[in-house]
Amino acid sequence: MSALTKETTPAPPERPVAKIPVSAGERRGEGVVLNAFSHGFLAVWALLIVLPLLWLVLSSFKSDAQIGGSAFGWPHHWSLDVFGRAWDKGIGDYFLNTVIVLVFSVPLTMLFGSMAAYVLARYQFRGNRLLYYFFVAGAMFPVFLALVPLFFMVKRLDMLNTYQGLVLVYVAYSMPFTVFFMHAFFRTQSTAVFEAAVLDGASHTRTFFQVMLPMAKPGLVSVGIFNTLGQWNQFILPTVLMQPQSGSDPERYLLTQGLIQLQQQQGYASDLPVLFAGVTIAMIPMLVVYLSFQRQVQAGLTSATLK
């Protein structure tokens, strides 16, 4: 008998799988348990963040005897004199040096990083992906491995212990993350808007600054806050590059260096409230910046995730 006329045995019918119904009460109970666990975790996390900050600020108003006797007690006298002493002992100069560096480094990082990310995201040319991966690889390169060649490079440029030398290093150090972050925003922007600007006769520079850059404002704010926090708290780079090179070379220590210098200057005559006050002064600007722009940061991260 040929294969065309061979009878085939029909497959047995599939047995229906019984589904166990889940009641609305069980689903509601699972949701309550999940919400309770997530809220409890967030509450514990908030305590781990808030309590050390609160202890740090309260310690600024205590005396050495109070700090040594009861670290978790309340101050006996509330006075702001300790902040004035910390400011006069050098925190004011360190604060000013840090602000001078960040006033130039953060805008330059945002400008050059956004321009590089825009070109890599919107224009196709040979070596585009290779250049993009080159920037991304820079974000994964530990800065400790580049300290020695970086020191000699800045020394050859005669920029050790100078604001402009540290600004250039900060810009180069923050570029990989900025390019990686902004590249995602420019890639997902509307192509129709870009083409309409080109058809209207706008140049590449005008299209970037007046059309595409304002559309990436959430990303700019988010990455700007991250760069500000990272450069404000940077320690290893200013420690290596901002050291006096001679007896006549002035000290241009930043806040992170200055707090170490403040501790070393005390010696055996410790003044812990001044040290705590200096840390509080260094911490307050970053808290103000983040609390002022937290909605923009969240909006930028959320829009990048949705895109």
Side-chain angles (χ1 to χ4, degrees):
M1 184 180 295
S2 64
L4 296 177
T5 58
K6 185 182 296 182
E7 295 182 359
T8 58
T9 305
E14 296 182 358
R15 299 179 59 184
V17 180
K19 296 182 179 180
I20 302 176
V22 180
S23 62
E26 292 179 355
R27 287 195 295 266
R28 191 180 303 111
E30 293 177 357
V32 170
V33 173
L34 182 60
N35 289 335
F37 176 78
S38 60
H39 284 75
F41 177 79
L42 292 176
V44 173
W45 184 264
L47 289 176
L48 293 176
I49 299 298
V50 173
L51 289 181
L53 297 180
L54 181 62
W55 173 80
L56 176 66
V57 175
L58 291 178
S59 298
S60 303
F61 296 94
K62 300 178 182 179
S63 62
D64 286 318
Q66 285 183 273
I67 295 175
S70 177
F72 299 99
W74 288 91
H76 294 166
H77 302 285
W78 297 86
S79 176
L80 298 176
D81 295 338
V82 64
F83 292 94
R85 297 205 317 267
W87 191 268
D88 295 335
K89 285 189 175 183
I91 293 297
D93 296 332
Y94 308 146
F95 189 94
L96 180 61
N97 293 337
T98 306
V99 171
I100 291 175
V101 172
L102 262 69
V103 163
F104 293 96
S105 62
V106 174
L108 289 176
T109 301
M110 301 303 301
L111 176 63
F112 295 145
S114 299
M115 293 172 67
Y118 171 73
V119 172
L120 293 174
R122 307 302 302 187
Y123 296 94
Q124 298 298 325
F125 54 90
R126 182 176 298 178
N128 181 297
R129 302 307 297 172
L130 180 62
L131 189 58
Y132 171 72
Y133 289 132
F134 178 77
F135 278 108
V136 174
M140 297 180 287
F141 188 80
V143 67
F144 303 98
L145 299 180
L147 287 179
V148 174
L150 180 63
F151 174 83
F152 286 105
M153 183 182 298
V154 177
K155 184 178 181 180
R156 285 192 175 186
L157 296 174
D158 198 20
M159 288 186 177
L160 287 176
N161 198 30
T162 61
Y163 296 128
Q164 57 268 28
L166 189 61
V167 167
L168 292 178
V169 173
Y170 273 6
V171 171
Y173 174 76
S174 305
M175 278 285 287
F177 173 74
T178 305
V179 172
F180 173 75
F181 195 94
M182 294 303 301
H183 183 270
F185 279 86
F186 288 121
R187 286 278 292 182
T188 54
Q189 284 182 345
S190 175
T191 306
V193 177
F194 172 79
E195 294 175 350
V198 174
L199 291 176
D200 288 341
S203 62
H204 296 292
T205 304
R206 186 176 181 182
T207 302
F208 172 70
F209 284 103
Q210 295 187 0
V211 179
M212 308 304 291
L213 198 61
M215 294 174 59
K217 182 180 178 181
L220 287 172
V221 174
S222 299
V223 75
I225 296 299
F226 291 140
N227 283 329
T228 302
L229 294 175
Q231 295 179 13
W232 182 274
N233 297 323
Q234 181 60 239
F235 174 72
I236 187 65
L237 290 177
T239 300
V240 174
L241 303 176
M242 298 295 284
Q243 296 290 343
Q245 302 302 304
S246 62
S248 60
D249 199 8
E251 294 181 352
R252 296 189 177 95
Y253 294 141
L254 271 63
L255 266 176
T256 50
Q257 296 173 272
L259 293 175
I260 302 297
Q261 293 294 323
L262 184 62
Q263 182 183 16
Q264 293 177 351
Q265 291 172 3
Q266 293 181 4
Y268 293 102
S270 64
D271 192 358
L272 292 179
V274 170
L275 184 60
F276 284 120
V279 177
T280 303
I281 293 174
M283 176 185 64
I284 287 177
M286 294 300 98
L287 288 177
V288 173
V289 169
Y290 180 77
L291 293 177
S292 301
F293 295 97
Q294 61 174 338
R295 292 183 180 275
Q296 289 81 355
V297 173
Q298 294 174 1
L301 296 176
T302 303
S303 61
T305 304
L306 293 177
K307 290 177 182 179

